[in-house]
Amino acid sequence: MDRDSQSVVRTICRQILRPLASMTLKCGMTWKEFSDLSKLVFVETATDEYGIRGRPTNVSRVSILTGISRKEVKRQRDLLATHEEPPTRKTNDATKVLSGWFQGPAYVDANLEPRVIPESGPAPSFEALCETYGGDVAVPTMLKELIKTNAVARTADGELRVLSRYYQPAVHDDENLMFAADRIYDVIRTMNNNVFLEEGGTLRFGGYADNDSIPVSVIPEFREYLDKRGQAFLEEVDDWLAARSGNNPGEATARVGISLFATQRENSKE
């Protein structure tokens, strides 16, 4: 890589790392902790993605790619071998429960609107809904979380009404951080795929719309517009995916979808 290309990469990394540094500092992570974690991820990525004929990359090649000594690569690999998988999170299960409430035949009325349902009992009930869509998260835990995040509310007679099709963790909640990490990961993976498209690979959709001359007084109006139109589009995509989910038993599967975000960046003052 020539000097100009290296300069571009450094600029890109700095731009990507700026919001990430802000996030990690708010969570109390120090530069040293981030540096140690970065080293581990560099070794992991070089090992998994740069092998020959699908095999893991050997220690010497990982050392050359990353600039980390062979001894340290070996130490990092040993750490990876004992690394525990992160605990199962409730984000996906909660979204599945809410989606099932909007789409399950037993949970929608003649107008395809979600029913008000009792907490327990046979379907349609919240208990039965969780048994079908909620994974291994306990029903009381799921209900408490969905009420806390204003996705579900109790009616005056004690039944349950769904308010949101998607689960959005509470601010500063660990689940919210993991939700953000998932979205960041997906965006960067898509951009990585498109920028370094391999032979025979397929570009993934990556459009955007923005304008740097919008008066700040208009921003609330834009948010309201996007809340309505964006949510409607996501629900349309969700319906399309749900109609095709599990249609070919025995065939390999993948997680596909779309993430939609509002963006806002203050213009620098000259």
Side-chain angles (χ1 to χ4, degrees):
M1 183 180 293
D2 59 35
R3 187 179 299 274
D4 288 342
S5 295
Q6 287 181 339
S7 177
V8 170
V9 171
R10 290 174 67 89
T11 299
I12 292 170
C13 286
R14 184 175 179 181
Q15 188 170 5
I16 292 173
L17 285 172
R18 182 66 185 266
L20 185 58
S22 177
M23 179 183 292
T24 53
L25 286 170
K26 288 172 183 173
C27 295
M29 177 177 277
T30 66
W31 167 83
K32 182 63 168 60
E33 290 173 311
F34 185 86
S35 176
D36 290 342
L37 182 61
S38 174
K39 184 189 296 183
L40 187 73
V41 173
F42 264 67
V43 170
E44 181 180 32
T45 303
T47 298
D48 293 345
E49 298 186 13
Y50 290 85
I52 299 174
R53 291 187 290 276
R55 292 178 296 182
T57 318
N58 62 41
V59 171
S60 295
R61 179 163 166 76
V62 171
S63 177
I64 292 171
L65 287 169
T66 62
I68 301 171
S69 70
R70 294 177 72 255
K71 181 179 179 180
E72 183 62 15
V73 168
K74 176 66 168 58
R75 191 180 78 84
Q76 294 295 324
R77 281 186 160 185
D78 290 342
L79 288 174
L80 286 167
T82 59
H83 177 66
E84 295 183 0
E85 289 297 317
T88 301
R89 306 199 314 279
K90 54 182 177 285
T91 302
N92 290 339
D93 289 334
T95 295
K96 288 177 182 177
V97 167
L98 295 172
S99 184
W101 202 334
F102 275 84
Q103 296 174 332
Y107 295 92
V108 295
D109 59 23
N111 296 318
L112 301 182
E113 294 295 326
R115 298 178 184 274
V116 174
I117 59 177
E119 181 175 342
S120 58
S125 72
F126 187 79
E127 180 182 23
L129 185 68
C130 288
E131 289 176 355
T132 303
Y133 300 100
D136 59 0
V137 179
V139 175
T141 301
M142 180 69 75
L143 179 58
K144 181 179 179 181
E145 182 67 20
L146 294 180
I147 290 176
K148 183 179 75 172
T149 55
N150 296 317
V152 172
R154 287 191 184 276
T155 64
D157 57 3
E159 292 195 310
L160 301 173
R161 181 188 305 278
V162 64
L163 305 177
S164 173
R165 187 165 177 162
Y166 298 99
Y167 170 70
Q168 175 63 50
V171 177
H172 301 312
D173 186 274
D174 287 349
E175 285 290 319
N176 205 16
L177 288 171
M178 294 304 297
F179 175 83
D182 278 346
R183 305 288 77 76
I184 293 168
Y185 177 85
D186 286 340
V187 168
I188 294 179
R189 291 282 293 188
T190 292
M191 295 300 102
N192 195 27
N193 175 82
N194 292 352
V195 172
F196 301 102
L197 189 66
E198 297 180 358
E199 185 176 353
T202 303
L203 285 172
R204 299 173 191 167
F205 179 80
Y208 71 95
D210 63 18
N211 188 303
D212 62 4
S213 300
I214 301 298
V216 294
S217 60
V218 177
I219 293 175
E221 181 183 348
F222 173 68
R223 289 174 181 162
E224 183 178 353
Y225 166 80
L226 193 58
D227 283 346
K228 293 179 180 178
R229 295 293 298 275
Q231 181 66 24
F233 176 63
L234 287 176
E235 291 180 6
E236 179 183 334
V237 172
D238 190 44
D239 287 339
W240 191 96
L241 293 171
R244 291 157 178 80
S245 178
N247 284 357
N248 300 318
E251 183 177 333
T253 60
R255 183 176 69 87
V256 299
I258 184 170
S259 293
L260 187 62
F261 309 93
T263 62
Q264 182 175 334
R265 191 185 308 182
E266 286 67 32
N267 291 330
S268 58
K269 297 180 180 179
E270 299 296 338

